[in-house]
Amino acid sequence: MTEEFHRIRRLPPYVFASVNQAKAAARARGEDIIDLGMGNPDTPTPPHIVSKLIETVNDPRSHRYSVSRGIPGLRKAVAGYYDRRFNVKLNPDSEVIVTLGSKEGLANLASAITSPGDTILVPNPSYPIHQFGFIIAGASVRSIPATPNEDMLRALHRAVRHSVPKPTALIVNFPSNPTAYLADLDFYKELVAFARREEIWILSDLAYAEIYFGDLVPPSILAVPGARDIAVEFTSLSKTYSMAGWRVGFAAGNERLIAALTRIKSYLDYGAFTPIQVAAVTALNGPQDCVADLRNLYKDRRDVLIKGLHSAGWDVPSPEGSMFAWAPIPEPFREMGSVAFSKLLLEEAGVAVAPGLGFGEYGDDHVRIGLVENTHRLRQALRSIKGFMAAHGVKAPPSSNPAPKPESVAP
């Protein structure tokens, strides 16, 4: 009775736990910790969405069980969003399902389509649920490069030739958490052609579709002709409308995958609280100025962060999307790895970041820095980081030097 449960045994120790414990201990001592470690939006949900929630929750009829696959109005709103944003026409009855955030949808679809021993292709580094949703379901995971270019495509071809059994599914996530890489439609075309030829499912995580800062507007993989033969896409209202705690997202695409997710969810939940779904309809169908405002806010924060890190002697590529900077650990600290460096930065600078090891072993030479504080707090964090770097002998570059350009990941 003391042996660990089988599925729990397959999960490694939680990488972020030690940093979170150190953060909690510092706060208990009364220290002011600036937390840039979690991808937790700090801005309020737009008022018109909150008002619709309050209006609906005051109707007692909305207090009953909801619908596991999502109320019809929300599924139609999702289809409308895909039509406006990506020029993709979806059947809201067979190609759309509402989920309790994208994370729940990914994990439950992994459970629905996975047999023990299946091989799944997952970028490394990537968001933990991409890997562990399938590991919990009994699959084996094979890592591939996280960059949307020839490196990933070559790795996919090698994986098909050398994996036993042959891979059954592939995860992609662009804009990426944690790396902030973006993919273009040409890359998706190559990916879809590969997956159709090899009969491999694609699960695309598009949670950061509306957070981008440059000329490349993140596309949907479903915009590629033939993609719906093999692909399903997850996204969420968490980041787009600062609705992280509301837990509402959706999956769209291949009818067979949507049907599998619908069936397994029918055994597990009754769907999100109906007023939340009604408010989500208002978010998708209502005025979209709030989305552009939020995008500009994250861009301003990004510019402050990257410029400040550069002035401290920390060269970090400027992200073109997502709400994160993927920061190589500065050279004097590189050998200690991301967990020890994160603890040191917390202890000496009072700034919390996410260790890259938590996103896969190939992330251990990076940390993830979230754009989740206002510019005043970011500048405060940057002053502390600059002092921390100077105390360890890192010299700031001449002030005339520009910040480093974004990493190129073009296919």
Side-chain angles (χ1 to χ4, degrees), residues 182-225:
L182 272 67
D184 60 20
L185 201 57
D186 286 339
F187 175 77
Y188 281 144
K189 288 177 181 176
E190 293 194 58
L191 209 60
V192 167
F194 163 83
R196 294 183 70 193
R197 184 172 61 251
E198 301 296 342
E199 298 184 332
I200 293 174
W201 298 113
I202 297 178
L203 280 62
S204 170
D205 181 353
L206 195 64
Y208 296 90
E210 303 305 334
I211 304 180
Y212 55 89
F213 313 123
D215 294 332
L216 177 55
V217 177
S220 165
I221 196 170
L222 300 180
V224 177

Side-chain angles (χ1 to χ4, degrees), residues 115-139:
S115 299
D118 280 355
T119 299
I120 309 298
L121 305 176
V122 180
N124 189 340
S126 70
Y127 187 52
I129 197 62
H130 297 157
Q131 177 178 182
F132 291 110
F134 282 98
I135 288 176
I136 292 169

Side-chain angles (χ1 to χ4, degrees), residues 90-110:
L90 296 168
N91 183 333
D93 294 323
S94 60
E95 294 180 310
V96 176
I97 184 173
V98 178
T99 62
L100 306 178
S102 56
K103 185 176 183 179
E104 174 268 322
L106 279 159
N108 277 329
L109 184 58

Side-chain angles (χ1 to χ4, degrees), residues 314-331:
W314 190 352
D315 290 342
V316 176
S318 182
E320 287 296 289
S322 84
M323 54 191 293
F324 307 108
W326 186 234
I329 297 174
E331 188 58 43

Side-chain angles (χ1 to χ4, degrees), residues 76-90 174-175 182-185 188 205-224 233 235-236 240-241 250 284-285 288 291-292 295 320-322:
K76 290 177 183 177
V78 171
Y81 164 73
Y82 261 83
D83 192 8
R84 295 189 307 271
R85 173 70 165 77
F86 304 112
N87 196 28
V88 171
K89 298 188 182 301
L90 296 168
F174 304 109
L182 272 67
D184 60 20
L185 201 57
Y188 281 144
D205 181 353
L206 195 64
Y208 296 90
E210 303 305 334
I211 304 180
Y212 55 89
F213 313 123
D215 294 332
L216 177 55
V217 177
S220 165
I221 196 170
L222 300 180
V224 177
E233 192 159 65
T235 192
S236 164
T240 305
Y241 300 97
F250 46 85
L284 289 169
N285 289 348
Q288 299 300 300
V291 178
R295 185 184 304 126
E320 287 296 289
S322 84

